[in-house]
Amino acid sequence: MRLVLSIDGSVLVPELRPQQLKAYADVITTLTEAHDICVVTGGGAPAREYIDVGRAVGANDIELDQIGVDVTRLNARLLIAAIGDEAVPTPAREYETANRALRRGDIVVMGGTAPAQTTDAVSAVLAEYVDADRLIYATSTPGVFGADSNTCTDAEPFDELTPSQLVSLILDRDVAAGSSVSIGLHAARMLRRAQCETIVLDGGDPESVRTAVRTGEFEGTRIVPGQERRFSP
Ligand code: UTP
């Protein structure tokens, strides 16, 4: 199976400590015995800290995004170091580079690519480009929720959504101040275009990714494309 694994910065580097990076590296290395894997790393708290300081010293939004991209690539470098020789030594900066490495059977890790998006969109584009069989979002929430799980304590995640339902949900939630969904609108629109089964799970414990790939079992939301292929984003 060809997999794209998107690891939120909030679960990869909840704090800048080696244990979680090593645990993810171990999961990725063992899964590579049976699967081809591309990994996309998010920025997490370090990216937010850099962006906050950048804003305070007068950087504009594009400059702040570029700072964010750099931090996602730093996290990619840390994960590459934790994986060791089986990983391509440098984070891929372009989808083509990632695809070439994947086809050689190498483990490829990349961060962001360009301003004005987040790495969940990068992961969706990559999944479409490499024709992935499955895209896994390892996030800090156990799936996609109908209500804000931070403010609504009895909120439950959806078991299954179509990409169009996900887009509608995000648009509805965007109008509600302060609420957000674990996948961004741009990513959801890309998912609507890509024919790739997607799962959103709580990646706080990297073992949940290993279990999801090996057994198909996970707690979270499955985003299943129906007859929606080739909607334009
Ligand atoms: P993330 O992908 O980590 O954003 O990129 P996020 O979803 O806000 O962070 P999490 O989910 O809490 O970890 C960090 C920042 O880097 C910039 C954006 O500013 C983003 O907020 N970025 C990232 C880009 O501009 N382009 C990219 O391709 C990736």
Side-chain angles (χ1 to χ4, degrees):
M1 187 157 60
R2 186 170 294 170
L3 295 170
V4 171
L5 171 60
S6 182
I7 314 176
D8 243 34
S10 56
V11 298
L12 185 65
V13 284
E15 295 156 347
L16 264 181
R17 298 245 172 91
Q19 287 84 353
Q20 184 78 338
L21 288 152
K22 284 188 172 160
Y24 259 109
D26 179 58
V27 166
I28 291 162
T29 308
T30 53
L31 289 178
T32 308
E33 289 162 14
H35 306 284
D36 295 325
I37 303 188
C38 284
V39 185
V40 180
T41 52
R48 276 193 297 280
E49 268 186 63
Y50 268 87
I51 287 171
D52 286 349
V53 174
R55 185 176 288 114
V57 297
N60 67 32
D61 280 345
I62 298 298
E63 290 169 329
L64 295 175
D65 281 341
Q66 286 163 333
I67 289 170
V69 169
D70 284 346
V71 179
T72 63
R73 288 178 180 157
L74 267 182
N75 288 339
R77 281 194 184 276
L78 284 175
L79 185 60
I80 287 168
I83 293 170
D85 290 347
E86 287 174 69
V88 179
T90 315
R93 299 171 80 92
E94 289 164 11
Y95 299 107
E96 281 184 15
T97 317
N99 197 20
R100 270 200 300 275
L102 184 73
R103 283 168 197 279
R104 281 197 307 268
D106 295 336
I107 302 174
V108 60
V109 185
M110 69 188 292
T113 55
Q117 59 177 12
T118 56
T119 47
D120 50 1
V122 173
S123 307
V125 172
L126 183 63
E128 181 175 15
Y129 184 56
V130 303
D131 204 13
D133 300 296
R134 188 168 300 163
L135 166 59
I136 299 174
Y137 284 107
T139 73
S140 52
T141 55
V144 177
F145 285 72
D148 190 339
S149 55
N150 293 318
T151 53
C152 183
T153 47
D154 56 356
E156 288 285 333
F158 290 97
D159 289 334
E160 195 169 301
L161 288 169
T162 66
S164 286
Q165 286 171 326
L166 179 65
V167 169
S168 304
L169 185 76
I170 294 168
L171 287 172
D172 289 348
R173 292 280 294 284
D174 269 356
V175 257
S179 65
S180 65
V181 179
S182 42
I183 306 292
L185 181 59
H186 183 38
R189 285 182 161 148
M190 291 311 303
L191 291 179
R192 191 166 62 173
R193 199 174 83 167
Q195 185 78 5
C196 180
E197 186 182 312
T198 301
I199 64 180
V200 183
L201 51 73
D202 183 345
D205 180 358
E207 288 304 321
S208 60
V209 172
R210 197 195 313 257
T211 305
V213 175
R214 287 198 166 154
T215 68
E217 285 179 20
F218 65 97
E219 281 180 37
T221 304
R222 196 180 295 275
I223 300 163
V224 186
Q227 302 301 313
E228 305 177 313
R229 189 164 168 73
R230 295 297 157 211
F231 259 101
S232 66

